[in-house]
Amino acid sequence: MNALIINCSPVRNGATAEIVRIVSEQLCSRYETKAVCIDDYHFAFCTGCRSCHRTAECVQNDDAGVLMDELSRADIIVSVSPSYWADVPGQFKAFIDRCTPWCNTHEPHKTIPSGKKGYAIALRTGPGMKECERIIGSIEHFYGHLEIECCGHLGLCSVEYRDAVKDRTDEIKAFCRLI
């Protein structure tokens, strides 16, 4: 089985990247793992033209389909997202918007193989869990429209920098045992 761990932040060496590293390390004994960073891909914003509602194809030709191919190959998908103004980073949101050709919101639409299990990890710098819940909700909503089963989530508050992840490692490892 294949696991895809997505760093939803464009920062390749911050707290989110450190969590992605820990998750990858924990899952590699049970799954073939691949970790990617949203910043590894280049895609334009959705133009709202709705062509994909008629054709199941986007008029733009960029890396949105490449990242969707990664999701297609994965059996397990773990999206790790920091809070950018109480939601997922704009780069990840732009990717979500570009996934409309694959979403079950219209016919025709492309599909990815069924049976996928999705997990979400949200982190934020402040102490309140409400912001993490909003991020988790955005990721799980995205999963739902791709018909990926939402199987678990973890919210981590008071994590601003990479060093703060050290204090949460046991919690992250415990979550990974559920995957």
Side-chain angles (χ1 to χ4, degrees):
M1 289 183 67
N2 297 315
L4 177 67
I5 303 97
I6 304 171
N7 177 351
C8 300
S9 168
V11 181
R12 298 170 186 273
N13 60 357
T16 307
E18 180 63 11
I19 294 167
V20 166
R21 186 193 66 74
I22 293 167
V23 171
S24 297
E25 194 175 85
Q26 292 302 301
L27 297 184
C28 73
S29 65
R30 294 180 284 145
Y31 305 107
E32 290 292 323
T33 60
K34 182 171 186 174
V36 299
C37 179
I38 196 69
D39 202 46
D40 292 339
Y41 303 89
H42 302 283
F43 39 81
F45 296 115
C46 175
T47 63
C49 71
R50 296 184 183 252
S51 289
C52 62
H53 287 224
R54 294 184 311 280
T55 65
E57 296 289 337
C58 184
V59 297
Q60 302 185 70
N61 186 16
D62 54 24
D63 289 345
V66 175
L67 186 49
M68 281 305 297
D69 288 344
E70 295 290 351
L71 270 79
S72 289
R73 285 189 286 274
D75 303 294
I76 304 291
I77 300 157
V78 182
S79 297
V80 184
S81 179
S83 173
Y84 279 33
W85 288 100
D87 213 330
V88 297
Q91 292 86 339
F92 189 63
K93 175 62 168 86
F95 169 67
I96 291 171
D97 291 346
R98 288 293 307 287
C99 291
T100 302
W102 291 268
C103 289
N104 62 6
T105 55
H106 56 85
E107 291 295 339
H109 69 274
K110 294 181 182 183
T111 59
I112 58 174
S114 62
K116 296 179 183 309
K117 298 187 180 306
Y119 298 84
I121 300 175
L123 62 142
R124 67 171 304 237
T125 60
M129 188 56 72
K130 188 174 183 178
E131 204 167 296
C132 285
E133 291 167 356
R134 182 173 172 171
I135 295 162
I136 290 163
S138 291
I139 293 168
E140 290 182 344
H141 184 83
F142 171 58
Y143 287 167
H145 283 297
L146 293 176
E147 299 182 5
I148 296 169
E149 180 185 358
C150 299
C151 294
H153 58 261
L154 174 65
L156 300 168
C157 296
S158 302
V159 176
E160 185 168 0
Y161 297 107
R162 186 181 189 101
D163 292 344
V165 176
K166 290 178 195 169
D167 297 335
R168 309 304 284 278
T169 301
D170 289 342
E171 192 175 353
I172 296 164
K173 288 180 178 180
F175 178 72
C176 289
R177 286 191 288 275
L178 302 174
I179 297 174

